[in-house]
Amino acid sequence: MGSAVSSHRLPPARRSPAERWMLAEPHPEAAALAKEARLPLVLAELLCARGITSAGQARAFLNPEYAHLHDPLEMLGMTAAVDRIERAIAAQEPILLYGDYDVDGTTAVVLLKTAIELLGAPGGLVRFHVPHRLHEGYGLQSSVLEAAYADGVRLVVTVDTGMRAFAEAETARRLGLDLIITDHHLPGANDAVPGALAILNPNQPGCAYPEKSLCGAALALKLAQALLQRRDPARLREKILPSFLKMAAIATIADAVPLKGENRTIAALGLRELRRPAGAGLRALFRVAALDPAARALTGFDVAFRLAPRINAAGRMDVASDVIELFTTRDSVRATELAQKLERLNRERRDAEAAALASIDVRLETEAALAADSLLLIDGEGWHRGVIGILASRVVERTAKPAIVVSVEDGPDGRIAHGSGRSVDGFPLLQAVETCADLFTRFGGHAFAVGFALPAAALPELKIRLRAYAQEKLAARAPERLLRIHAELPLDRITPVVAGWLRKLEPLGHGNPEPLFLAHRVRLVSEPRVLKEKHLRLELRQETADSASTCGAQGAMRAVGWNMAERAAQLGLHQGSLINVAYRIRENDHPEFGGLELEIVGVEIAGMQPAGRSGL
């Protein structure tokens, strides 16, 4: 790290959105839980925040087991789906699996294809279709169903799509295709569902399945589990299910479903099984991602930020069918070729993102109109549609404002604008775009994310309407970053034992967030060092009543603050500064300077009380 230090001098401070810290209130049940379950108090606090208040619940949460998986036959439609697939296998009928182009959809196809072939279906019997993001777009397509019927297919199983495919389901019925829909997306407002032979979705009316938030690949896992346990329950339990959980875990973490309940079980057990990647494709993917699960247990972070982007790159930049081939081939040479292609596509995705983001950053700095807008709509010529959603997220991170990024390009019927938006707490973005529904050729989404297409000529009108809507809804609210802090933990209470207990919260992600801690009155024991002109390296010691108190073997803890050099300049930090820090605990595995360290997420001068801070 020392060689990366460019200077001790902090860069000039720039204006950034206000930051409000919100500290969770202590839970009255935490002390009793800590005593009953023999846990550190800080871990008990975190468990109580997740609704876990008894020792039995704590043991189950911290130690997921196969017994925690639910019986797939509890799901409405499962028996009918299994019966129909078995008949197709027995009659050697071609089966079409219709997926989506993201991690969830492609891994779901892999799971079901493998399961059906394990039950005796010849290799060519199970076909699949994954739509091209740019040429076909999301969802079931009647034209594909018609082509499949003409090719002899009589059974179509969707994975991660189909819940609102009413017209396409009618096409299937008209053709004589049996349609099984497996999809985790919510039904429409009136709870109507498409006409299909069977629908596997825990969120559909009348379904009593206890886990409502499974991702698409987890639903494919449950269907595979039901198919295989009817044929050979012992083999399923001992060999097949552990292998299938690997794919389901990757999708569960990547698709950002809540990591609790059965989702937590799937993700935790799958990560455990990923320590032994048997397939040629997984091994090749680990190599290009520079991950060695034999040397270090994989985390939710590894999946979300190392594996998932490479898998998603296929659907973003090229064709997602490469992912299915990667995970089903037994040829190690071919697997290496495909993994290297995903690595190249991911680099291209990053390059496309970086180029567009550089242009966006210049506009954010120089265009006064953008600075004044409550909602940012930023359009560019020919930005890759596969990255505009990521770009919108980056703009939200920079500005704390809802943001929509639009790519304008030539289409078959003239100029067309494709947009993707992300929002902030308290501003439902879908409601905003619904006020402009007459402008779009298609749109959809939810409170925090939307996507749409419209003629480029309508873009100025869209900007006017959304600007007016946002100014009305957000006029009284200044942009601010909300930092949700989960518990207080002074630096002198951080020990390897506490860190070990906190590791048992893995896998971390949506619904089971990585703990963010607060330490008051922390002393900066040396000058802040700037890394690569934007990051910080700090040495910190917890200030206590005993001025001789030390923290760690060397009397201070190392800390890094990514992209925090500007914040340090704003506060005028220097050796001896007394600060409050919001931080995460990290374990550095470097052979020379490894050990516990901190990742600083927020910093304030001790004694400062930012507007809106709660509970500090």
Side-chain angles (χ1 to χ4, degrees), residues 1 81 129 138 147 179 190 295 343 384 386 412 519 561:
M1 281 287 189
H129 179 80
Y138 172 80
L179 179 65
N190 59 359
E343 178 69 12
H384 198 290

Side-chain angles (χ1 to χ4, degrees), residues 217 335 428 520 547:
H520 288 285
S547 59

Side-chain angles (χ1 to χ4, degrees), residues 37-61:
R38 298 182 179 181
L39 301 172
L41 180 59
V42 67
L43 181 61
E45 284 280 4
L46 296 170
L47 290 174
C48 286
R50 288 155 172 76
I52 298 163
T53 56
S54 72
Q57 291 174 325
R59 280 192 293 271
F61 185 87

Side-chain angles (χ1 to χ4, degrees), residues 211-291:
E211 180 57 73
K212 299 298 184 184
S213 57
L214 296 174
C215 70
L219 282 170
L221 172 74
K222 302 310 291 188
L223 177 53
Q225 185 182 354
L227 283 164
L228 292 159
Q229 74 182 11
R230 184 181 287 189
R231 183 74 62 89
D232 192 344
R235 186 178 178 220
L236 169 71
R237 184 174 57 252
E238 295 167 10
K239 293 185 177 180
I240 299 173
L241 190 56
S243 176
F244 279 19
L245 280 165
K246 299 172 185 176
M247 287 286 103
I250 291 172
T252 295
I253 295 168
D255 211 52
V257 294
L259 293 180
K260 45 193 175 183
E262 190 173 28
N263 281 334
R264 174 171 172 79
T265 302
I266 290 170
L269 296 180
L271 284 179
R272 188 186 307 168
E273 297 299 333
L274 280 167
R275 296 175 187 174
R276 299 178 295 276
L282 267 178
R283 293 198 304 270
L285 184 63
F286 282 141
R287 284 195 298 271
V288 298
L291 290 172

Side-chain angles (χ1 to χ4, degrees), residues 335-354:
T336 297
E337 291 173 353
L338 290 165
Q340 290 173 345
K341 180 179 180 181
L342 295 190
E343 178 69 12
R344 174 177 56 78
L345 291 173
N346 192 48
R347 285 197 301 269
E348 291 176 6
R349 187 270 306 169
R350 288 199 302 263
D351 291 345
E353 177 189 335

Side-chain angles (χ1 to χ4, degrees), residues 117-129:
E117 289 173 353
L118 283 171
L119 289 169
L125 189 74
V126 187
R127 306 166 188 178
F128 66 86
H129 179 80

Side-chain angles (χ1 to χ4, degrees), residues 10 13 524 527-528 565-575 577 605:
L10 295 174
L524 190 56
E527 286 296 320
E566 286 185 16
R567 179 61 176 158
Q570 289 173 345
L571 297 175
L573 295 189
H574 55 82
Q575 183 176 359
S577 292
I605 300 298

